[in-house]
Amino acid sequence: MKRTVMWLTMGFMVMPAIGQYRLTGKVVDDRGESLPGANVLILEWNRGTATAEDGGFVLQEVPPGDATLRISFIGYMARELTLEVQGDLDVGIISLETRTLMGEEVI
């Protein structure tokens, strides 16, 4: 009986780790400069992170399947990427374009 309980307990501890992957990448601007603090979000699971000082990011425990990755930063146009997560995935370098706002002049 003790042995059965032990095996069941160990099985439940391992189950959450199965099918969880790691998503990595780097966010830069249109000149190739890193964007620290950019938001990186997986829309389907409402999970996200911010980029590090070098523009890099790591999302842990990403479940397998289709995912939409949304990257945004103040002053830049947001970007969305459609991904198929089947294992650890490096999306590479993601470039954001500067958003130009044209205002009206008040005299």
Side-chain angles (χ1 to χ4, degrees):
M1 179 68 173
K2 281 185 177 181
R3 203 172 274 211
T4 303
V5 171
M6 182 184 75
W7 284 109
L8 284 173
T9 304
M10 288 177 63
F12 285 119
M13 288 173 32
V14 172
M15 278 180 62
I18 296 173
Q20 301 291 308
Y21 301 111
R22 197 174 122 131
L23 186 63
T24 59
K26 182 175 181 176
V27 181
V28 299
D29 65 12
D30 44 10
R31 294 174 298 160
E33 302 280 331
S34 61
L35 289 176
N39 296 307
V40 181
L41 178 69
I42 298 176
L43 297 178
E44 288 79 3
W45 300 297
N46 200 28
R47 298 188 69 174
T49 190
T51 58
E53 197 171 316
D54 66 350
F57 66 89
V58 177
L59 281 166
Q60 302 281 359
E61 299 179 8
V62 177
D66 294 336
T68 306
L69 190 67
R70 185 172 201 277
I71 303 96
S72 60
F73 192 70
I74 295 173
Y76 293 84
M77 293 175 34
R79 188 161 171 203
E80 290 187 3
L81 303 172
T82 304
L83 308 172
E84 186 177 346
V85 180
Q86 295 180 350
D88 289 345
L89 182 62
D90 181 5
V91 296
I93 297 174
I94 302 164
S95 179
L96 298 183
E97 292 181 36
T98 306
R99 180 185 309 169
T100 306
L101 299 175
M102 297 287 241
E104 292 182 31
E105 270 186 54
V106 178
I107 300 177

